[in-house]
């Protein structure tokens, strides 16, 4: 087979890896190009296409360095990127020009690709969300003024009719591993995944205002779900009903919210306010 | 502006450009002597040229498709020449590989539209390719003020139609084209591991007296293949190979291609220190 033809076929496969799948399914399509299918290691070519897509995602590393490191240390980086390369090629969608968008699309792919039954895959999902939360909160350069300027209300007397809202911006995640422990492990020279304890938890990444640093909060289940529903449109008693199925014992429920108000992540607007934001 | 002086007694140690480089230079003044800059990145972000106020630049290129059958456009050749002249790079390091090839679809063949990639591919290792490399290099004559040096590709799988191994291919290219080399030790080791040959024995057959620059970076083994990885540290075998190379080679520069590092900076510092010791002891 002459070099010119071989180069043309290899380049076509790398540029459009779904072609490699087609050549694998129907070797006659490769023969039709004047090539001997048995001469091509299509599995390796597919993985090589994955390597090239991984390299094209190098700008994404700036936001997701530990995610890339974990994928590499677990030995699944090439597998992930070759699957991604094939999927993108089949979809006909080019990769986004901007790194942030390219990262978001990659993370969306990961969510569908990862097998959450596998602890290693869960760890990848945890660290990628951890890094994306930090990166997206750091990039915020403007927050709704009413949220930024809301007075802290630690001593405020809250009522079941108040409408709760989050002050600033939060990212809320339920994770299988403690993200800080995972990050610390990844920064060590000797990586041993088995040294990491499974530590399911609820985590909140919070930036109160553009002048404030990001805070990392470990929450209980109630606080986590309450914050995810506190959008300023529903009354506390409505959120309570959504979470507990009951409107009884509101006093206890309100007591549970006081630590969040004390921290400043949660604020309330009075019942009569038409638009608390 | 700082320029690379290729006539020093000792090989210079440089770092490949990547995010975090400026912070690294600030934190470790005087530790490295030049920055290797991808020409394509410099074209895309000309402001990176400001690095040359602090350190010399050595250009690395992936646009010339030296082992390919599609010639680069006049615009590409002019851009390479312009950057080479502007930076006063001592040479242009280019891959012994291809980035463009004929299209394969009926439309592509009819329209004569090539497939253009963003990453270099290992070519067919054959006499046909050797002759093509010679034709391409001859066509570049007169375009550039500085010489091209060729970097060995990593081989991840057998290239159909190949009639020789990587080292024999490189030897033939050197013989026919009378050209110097950029020895990427990571690529060399990767090829040896993937083709199940003995790296040290293969190195003995290499025309090491032609080596002008050396690359050192990491590698990773995944899906049954060893891959190039600029985010991984070089393994100890790499430093053993470097010692062997320096018994015969007299390179002018050694570039650590650690440009996507997520591993601790202490490791990078220790590898730089180890490399400097090896170079000093030769």
């Amino acid at each position: 087979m002459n070099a010119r033809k071989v180069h043309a076929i290899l380049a076509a496969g790398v540029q459009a890896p779904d072609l490699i799948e087609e050549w694998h399914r129907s070797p006659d399509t490769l023969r039709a190009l004047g090539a001997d299918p048995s001469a091509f290691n299509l599995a390796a070519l597919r993985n090589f296409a994955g390597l090239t897509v991984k390299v094209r995602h190098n700008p994404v590393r700036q936001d997701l360095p530990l995610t890339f490191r974990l994928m590499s240390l677990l030995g699944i980086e090439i597998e992930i990127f070759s699957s991604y390369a094939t999927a993108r090629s089949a979809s006909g969608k080019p990769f986004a020009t901007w790194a942030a968008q390219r990262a978001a699309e990659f993370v969306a792919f990961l969510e569908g690709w990862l097998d959450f039954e596998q602890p290693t895959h869960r760890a990848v999902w945890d660290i990628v969300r951890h890094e994306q939360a930090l990166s997206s909160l750091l990039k915020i350069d403007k927050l709704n003024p009413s949220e930024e300027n809301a007075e802290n209300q630690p001593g405020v007397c809250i009522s079941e009719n108040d409408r709760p809202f989050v002050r600033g911006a939060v990212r809320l995640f339920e994770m299988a591993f403690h993200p800080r422990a995972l990050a610390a492990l990844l920064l060590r020279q000797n990586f041993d995944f088995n040294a990491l304890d499974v530590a399911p938890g609820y985590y909140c990444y919070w930036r109160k205002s553009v002048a404030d640093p990001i805070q990392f909060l470990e929450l209980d289940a109630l606080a986590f779900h309450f914050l995810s529903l506190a959008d300023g449109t529903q009354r506390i008693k409505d959120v309570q009903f959504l979470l507990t199925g009951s409107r009884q014992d509101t006093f206890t429920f309100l007591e549970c919210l006081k630590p969040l108000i004390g921290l400043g992540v949660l604020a309330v607007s009075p019942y009569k306010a038409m638009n608390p934001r | 502006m700082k320029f690379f002086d290729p006539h020093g007694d000792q090989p210079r140690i440089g770092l490949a450009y990547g995010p975090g480089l400026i912070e690294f230079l600030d934190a470790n003044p005087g530790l490295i002597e030049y920055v290797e800059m991808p020409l394509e990145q410099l074209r895309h972000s000309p402001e990176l040229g400001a690095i040359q106020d602090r350190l010399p630049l050595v250009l690395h290129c992936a646009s010339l498709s030296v082992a390919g059958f599609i010639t680069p456009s006049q615009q590409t050749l002019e851009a390479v020449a312009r950057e080479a002249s502007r930076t006063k790079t001592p040479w242009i390091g280019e891959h012994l590989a291809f980035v463009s090839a004929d299209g394969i679809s009926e439309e592509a063949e009819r329209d004569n539209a090539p497939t253009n990639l963003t990453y270099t591919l290992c070519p067919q290792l054959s006499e046909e390719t050797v002759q093509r490399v010679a034709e391409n290099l001859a066509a570049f004559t007169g375009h550039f003020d500085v010489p091209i040096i060729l970097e060995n590709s990593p081989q991840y799988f057998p290239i159909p139609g190949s009639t020789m191994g990587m080292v024999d291919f490189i030897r033939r290219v050197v013989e026919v084209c009378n050209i110097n080399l950029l020895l990427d030790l990571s690529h060399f080791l990767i090829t040896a591991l993937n083709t199940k040959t003995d790296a040290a024995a293969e190195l003995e057959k290499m025309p090491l007296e032609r080596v002008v620059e050396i690359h050192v970076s990491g590698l990773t083994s995944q899906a049954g293949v060893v891959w190039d990885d600029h985010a991984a540290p070089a393994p100890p075998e790499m430093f053993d190979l470097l010692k062997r190379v320096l018994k015969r080679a007299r390179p002018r520069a050694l570039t650590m291609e650690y440009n996507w590092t997520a591993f601790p900076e202490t490791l990078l510092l220790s590898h730089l220190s180890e490399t400097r010791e090896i170079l000093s002891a030769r």
Side-chain angles (χ1 to χ4, degrees):
Chain A
M1 214 175 324
N2 72 56
R4 188 164 191 140
K5 174 69 74 181
V6 168
H7 289 192
I9 291 170
L10 293 176
V14 171
Q15 189 183 56
D18 57 324
L19 267 181
I20 303 172
E21 302 288 297
E22 191 184 325
W23 296 337
H24 179 70
R25 277 195 309 271
S26 315
D28 282 347
T29 54
L30 206 44
R31 276 190 203 95
L33 296 170
D36 171 10
S38 68
F40 286 84
N41 182 339
L42 294 180
L45 182 59
R46 182 181 185 273
N47 285 332
F48 177 72
L51 174 76
T52 70
V53 168
K54 184 191 97 166
V55 171
R56 289 181 74 175
H57 282 70
N58 275 342
V60 171
R61 283 179 185 269
Q62 285 178 270
D63 284 343
L64 308 175
L66 296 177
T67 303
F68 274 79
R69 180 158 165 79
L70 180 58
M71 291 189 299
S72 175
L73 291 168
L74 293 173
I76 57 175
E77 205 177 18
I78 293 294
E79 190 186 356
I80 287 174
F81 277 102
S82 61
S83 298
Y84 189 39
T86 305
R88 287 300 286 224
S89 166
S91 76
K93 276 183 67 179
F95 292 108
T97 310
W98 297 105
Q101 180 62 22
R102 200 174 282 194
E105 290 174 2
F106 175 62
V107 173
F109 169 79
L110 272 183
E111 185 173 13
W113 187 88
L114 293 168
D115 172 6
F116 294 117
E117 297 298 311
Q118 295 188 46
T120 51
H121 287 210
R122 286 299 305 259
V124 171
W125 187 232
D126 287 351
I127 201 71
V128 75
R129 289 180 299 160
H130 168 75
E131 291 193 302
Q132 220 184 18
L134 295 175
S135 141
S136 66
L137 288 173
L138 271 178
K139 285 175 187 160
I140 289 176
D141 56 8
K142 195 174 179 208
L143 282 167
N144 187 321
S146 67
E147 291 171 356
E148 278 191 36
N149 298 332
E151 289 298 314
N152 205 347
Q153 303 167 310
V156 121
C157 187
I158 55 173
S159 129
E160 61 181 8
N161 286 319
D162 288 337
R163 295 173 197 272
F165 63 93
V166 167
R167 183 182 294 167
V170 292
R171 304 288 183 268
L172 296 159
F173 301 115
E174 191 175 351
M175 293 182 175
F177 297 93
H178 194 294
R180 284 185 163 171
L182 185 51
L185 182 71
L186 285 164
L187 289 171
R188 279 190 215 141
Q189 285 198 23
N190 298 316
F191 173 79
D192 176 11
F193 184 74
N194 294 322
L196 190 67
D197 292 326
V198 177
Y202 300 96
Y203 303 105
C204 173
Y205 300 76
W206 172 44
R207 195 164 182 206
K208 184 178 168 187
S209 76
V210 292
D212 288 307
I214 297 168
Q215 292 192 54
F216 176 76
L217 310 176
E218 296 180 37
L219 305 175
D220 60 26
L222 178 66
F224 175 84
H225 291 294
F226 191 89
L227 281 179
S228 65
L229 292 169
D231 60 1
T233 65
Q234 304 182 89
R235 291 174 299 183
I236 288 177
K237 67 181 180 186
D238 300 328
V239 177
Q240 179 189 355
F241 183 70
L242 282 171
L243 291 177
T244 66
S246 164
R247 289 194 169 89
Q248 305 300 310
D249 199 12
T250 305
F251 177 78
T252 306
F253 193 79
L254 291 174
E255 286 298 306
C256 292
L257 300 181
K258 283 189 175 169
L260 293 177
I261 291 175
L263 281 169
V265 65
L266 189 70
V268 295
S269 58
Y271 173 55
K272 285 182 182 173
M274 294 302 291
N275 184 357
R277 284 171 178 260
Chain B
M1 283 175 80
K2 303 281 175 61
F3 304 112
F4 190 98
D5 173 13
H7 303 297
D9 292 340
Q10 282 289 322
R12 311 299 164 89
I13 295 185
L15 266 183
Y17 175 76
L21 176 84
I22 301 298
E23 291 79 0
F24 185 81
L25 296 181
D26 288 342
N28 303 280
L31 194 62
I32 65 162
E33 295 154 286
Y34 68 92
V35 172
E36 186 179 81
M37 179 67 72
L39 181 129
E40 296 73 19
Q41 203 151 7
L42 203 50
R43 280 180 79 182
H44 186 254
S45 309
E47 70 277 8
L48 293 177
I51 290 174
Q52 207 159 2
D53 292 339
R54 302 174 66 165
L55 286 172
L57 291 185
V58 170
L59 284 188
H60 195 35
C61 186
S63 299
L64 295 177
S65 208
V66 166
F69 292 83
I70 303 289
T71 24
S73 68
Q74 192 62 28
Q75 193 186 10
T76 298
L77 291 176
E78 283 169 8
V80 175
R82 193 168 48 247
E83 295 302 340
S85 171
R86 193 168 65 83
T87 58
K88 291 190 169 54
T89 180
W91 51 77
I92 299 167
E94 175 57 274
H95 300 81
L96 180 49
F98 67 99
V99 286
S100 301
D102 296 310
I104 60 162
S105 68
E106 284 178 16
E107 297 81 17
E109 284 186 5
R110 191 176 57 234
D111 302 339
N112 207 18
T115 305
N116 293 311
L117 301 172
T118 55
Y119 197 85
T120 56
L121 266 78
C122 177
Q124 185 189 73
L125 308 176
S126 65
E127 191 60 33
E128 183 189 359
T129 309
V130 171
Q131 294 306 322
R132 182 64 191 183
V133 172
E135 287 167 24
N136 284 336
L137 290 173
F140 299 153
T141 306
H143 274 93
F144 312 123
D145 298 334
V146 290
I148 291 175
I149 60 172
L150 291 181
E151 176 182 2
N152 53 307
S153 285
Q155 191 178 356
Y156 299 117
F157 49 85
I159 308 297
S162 291
T163 55
M164 55 183 88
M166 181 61 77
V167 170
D168 288 337
F169 178 70
I170 294 167
R171 286 169 58 98
R172 275 297 288 154
V173 167
V174 167
E175 190 177 304
V176 172
C177 307
N178 187 26
I179 195 160
N180 286 332
L181 298 174
L182 191 172
L183 175 62
D184 188 308
L185 273 180
S186 176
H187 292 178
F188 193 86
L189 182 57
I190 286 165
T191 301
L193 292 168
N194 286 333
T195 58
K196 298 187 170 36
T197 51
D198 183 282
E202 290 294 293
L203 206 53
E204 290 303 310
K205 296 192 287 179
M206 277 286 286
L208 296 178
E209 66 284 357
R210 291 287 195 158
V211 174
V212 168
E213 184 184 347
I214 293 174
H215 279 175
V216 170
S217 67
L219 46 82
T220 179
S221 181
Q222 291 183 35
V225 176
V226 183
W227 305 94
D228 196 18
D229 193 342
H230 291 194
E237 303 94 287
M238 199 80 73
F239 294 102
D240 292 341
L241 284 179
L242 178 60
K243 287 174 191 162
R244 285 176 182 271
V245 168
L246 292 175
K247 284 180 183 167
R248 281 170 50 211
R250 289 292 174 267
R252 311 311 317 152
L254 187 148
T255 309
M256 306 291 287
E257 287 194 306
Y258 283 7
N259 42 345
W260 299 104
T261 49
F263 51 83
E265 187 176 292
T266 49
L267 195 57
L268 172 58
L269 291 171
S270 92
H271 278 199
L272 278 167
S273 168
E274 184 171 359
T275 303
R276 198 175 295 282
E277 272 176 34
I278 293 170
L279 289 174
S280 304
R282 67 178 187 152

